Amino acid sequence: MVLGSVLNPVNSSMIAVALVPVGAAFGAPPAETAWLVSALYLATAVGQPVIGRLVDSYGPRRLYLIGTAVVGLAGLLGVLAPSLGLLVAARVLLGLGTSAAYPAAMHLTRSKAERTGRESPTGVLTVLAVASQTVAVIGPTLGGVLIGVGGWRAVFAVNVPLSLACLVLGAIRLPAAVRRGRRDERDLRDLRDLRDQPDLTGRPGTSGRPEISGRPEISNKPDRLDYGGIALFAAMLLALMLFLMKPRPAAWCLPVLAVAAAVAFAVRESRARNPFIDLRALAGNRPLIATYLRQLLGCTATYAFLYGFTQWLEEGRGLTAATTGLAMLPLSLTALTVSAVTGRRPAVRGKLLAGAAVQLIACVALLASEARSGAGLLIAVGVLAGVPQGLIGLANQTALYHQADPAAIAAAAGLLRTFMYLGAMAASAANAAFFAHGATTGGLHHLAWFMLGGAAVLLLLAAADRSLGRVPDPVPERS
């Protein structure tokens, strides 16, 4: 399950060092190759909550195996793609295929916690977070090595063996799912038996136990998907991204379409019986909303740095893809160390405050970077950027685990990833705007100002959220 959950972050980060070689291969500018980033995140932003709902209904095994098989097919398509358009299609398939593992992992974690009585399985959450952080931050380095050995198509080809490994391990290790309908039938039968037992006075059903009359409220069928809500959500994101990737007066209809789709989506979801995203429940859970907003802000700055800094190192500094990957090692090692050291400590509010503060400092250091800057400054920038990467995502994941409804933990976890990908799409749009004519030093500085604004808002939100101090301490885990 851990291996499957890292497929998305590794594909998200490896592509950072492949954008320039892909652009050279197809004669495409940065504004067009940015769709290799946005396509994956657009597909995942929609796919994560959808598959999260399916995991809650059908169990994790089936969705996990289907998803990892799609990842292998996407890898093959990327290897064979003769055009940038088909390469973007391969990234869409990657986004959909990698959407299953994380909701499935959170579903299994919550199920195990309920069976064992542990309130806070920080060990499992830490493993998931550290694994994702590790592959996300070493992705540029890994991508650089793969490109150096086999060209940019190796970044897609690596998904084939990874997919096969996930399929074999998932088929062997994941438990068979119990259909929710069958489980609910068993629970309903037990409840009826309890009703029919006599109470202390000898009368059946009068001891305060719940009465069951008429048709049961529990359905024997999994909830139907809200296809209309899914379509409106996807239309809203697509229209918004099409405009942000290339804003111009002639495209005025795109933001109008995005707003109209957003309004229609809100109206539909507030009335739907089984909404795609339960806005009514979400509106009543303000701490969870705050967690989603923090995830959006943190990931916007994280991915803006990941894609913007790597492109600038290749174009602005003239480094090769392999050398750029090695130059990102300080970021990778710092993020991994911070996640490993702080993972088992809840301290959600402290992690968010520290992460946002260091993110601000990293943006200032980025503003000081020039084409002739020494290696020492570039290493310092990478180290500073690695600290928030090791803190913010782990803190938000821990907060969500305690804030979300346990019965819908997979859907909530999928929505957390959706907000992460919304941040990545915002970062991709920012990169396309600031690097419209290449990854210049001036564009990098404009990107740094954009990141600095988001980090400042994140710091204010974390400081103002009093609910973060109420996350329970972990229960010691027994081997």
Side-chain angles (χ1 to χ4, degrees):
M1 188 59 71
V2 172
L3 179 60
S5 69
V6 304
L7 289 176
N8 191 280
V10 75
N11 277 286
S12 301
S13 55
M14 282 195 305
I15 198 68
V17 293
L19 294 176
V20 172
V22 169
F26 293 109
E32 292 183 14
T33 57
W35 276 106
L36 293 171
V37 178
S38 299
L40 182 140
Y41 292 132
L42 187 63
T44 313
V46 177
Q48 285 274 355
V50 171
I51 296 177
R53 288 287 300 272
L54 293 174
V55 168
D56 285 329
S57 296
Y58 292 98
R61 178 187 172 92
R62 184 184 308 176
L63 276 301
Y64 177 86
L65 295 177
I66 293 173
T68 51
V70 172
V71 170
L73 293 175
L76 286 175
L77 179 59
V79 171
L80 302 174
S83 66
L84 183 62
L86 281 178
L87 211 57
V88 171
R91 295 284 289 178
V92 171
L93 285 178
L94 275 175
L96 294 174
T98 57
S99 292
Y102 181 69
M106 291 295 283
H107 181 95
L108 287 174
T109 301
R110 170 57 76 176
S111 299
K112 181 178 179 181
E114 291 176 347
R115 290 196 308 270
T116 60
R118 286 197 191 102
E119 178 64 22
S120 181
T122 53
V124 178
L125 295 178
T126 301
V127 168
L128 285 174
V130 170
S132 295
Q133 286 286 353
T134 301
V135 298
V137 296
I138 69 171
T141 304
L142 176 61
V145 172
L146 290 172
I147 292 171
V149 172
W152 60 263
R153 291 189 188 273
V155 171
F156 289 86
V158 72
N159 287 288
V160 177
L162 287 176
S163 171
L164 291 174
C166 289
L167 283 171
V168 171
L169 291 174
I172 295 173
R173 301 300 301 272
L174 290 182
V178 177
R179 284 279 305 267
R180 196 179 73 170
R182 295 176 182 174
R183 184 167 61 246
D184 290 343
E185 281 183 344
R186 186 167 59 247
D187 293 342
L188 184 62
R189 188 165 56 249
D190 292 343
L191 193 58
R192 282 174 173 155
D193 292 342
L194 182 64
R195 178 200 64 184
D196 294 335
Q197 292 177 4
D199 64 2
L200 295 177
T201 64
R203 292 174 295 176
T206 59
S207 58
R209 303 181 183 93
E211 292 290 335
I212 301 177
S213 59
R215 296 185 63 182
E217 294 184 0
I218 299 175
S219 172
N220 292 335
K221 297 181 179 180
D223 294 337
R224 295 182 60 186
L225 288 178
D226 177 17
Y227 296 105
I230 295 170
L232 288 170
F233 186 72
M236 175 186 68
L237 292 182
L238 181 59
L240 185 61
M241 282 305 301
L242 286 171
F243 178 75
L244 292 177
M245 294 296 287
K246 198 173 182 180
R248 59 195 187 280
W252 62 268
C253 59
L254 291 174
V256 173
L257 178 60
V259 171
V263 172
F265 175 76
V267 171
R268 178 182 176 87
E269 299 305 279
S270 64
R271 298 176 179 176
R273 182 176 181 182
N274 297 308
F276 168 53
I277 297 176
D278 195 343
L279 298 181
R280 291 166 296 185
L282 196 58
N285 194 341
R286 292 184 179 179
L288 186 58
I289 294 175
T291 295
Y292 288 144
L293 290 177
R294 290 192 305 269
Q295 185 80 340
L296 172 66
L297 291 168
C299 290
T300 299
T302 293
Y303 284 101
F305 178 87
L306 179 64
Y307 297 121
F309 191 60
T310 51
Q311 283 185 271
W312 177 77
L313 286 175
E314 291 184 63
E315 291 191 13
R317 293 276 297 186
L319 302 182
T320 65
T323 306
T324 298
L326 293 175
M328 298 296 287
L329 271 178
L331 179 144
S332 308
L333 296 175
T334 302
L336 175 59
T337 301
V338 170
S339 293
V341 170
T342 65
R344 290 182 177 271
R345 298 178 178 89
V348 171
R349 193 160 183 256
K351 290 177 182 177
L352 290 169
L353 291 173
V358 178
Q359 199 168 71
L360 284 170
I361 299 172
C363 293
V364 173
L366 207 58
L367 287 170
S369 300
E370 300 286 345
R372 294 186 297 272
S373 296
L377 176 60
L378 300 182
I379 291 173
V381 170
V383 169
L384 288 170
V387 173
Q389 287 200 26
L391 290 174
I392 295 173
L394 178 59
N396 285 329
Q397 178 181 269
T398 303
L400 174 132
Y401 182 85
H402 296 283
Q403 294 165 344
D405 178 5
I409 187 66
L415 195 55
L416 182 71
R417 283 288 179 98
T418 292
F419 276 87
M420 182 179 88
Y421 302 131
L422 290 176
M425 285 190 287
S428 179
N431 285 337
F434 298 130
F435 292 162
H437 304 291
T440 63
T441 300
L444 180 70
H445 290 168
H446 287 131
L447 185 65
W449 281 113
F450 170 78
M451 294 164 55
L452 193 146
V457 175
L458 173 61
L459 182 63
L460 292 175
L461 283 178
D465 192 347
R466 302 286 182 182
S467 68
L468 295 174
R470 296 194 290 270
V471 174
D473 293 331
V475 176
E477 297 184 30
R478 300 175 182 175
S479 57

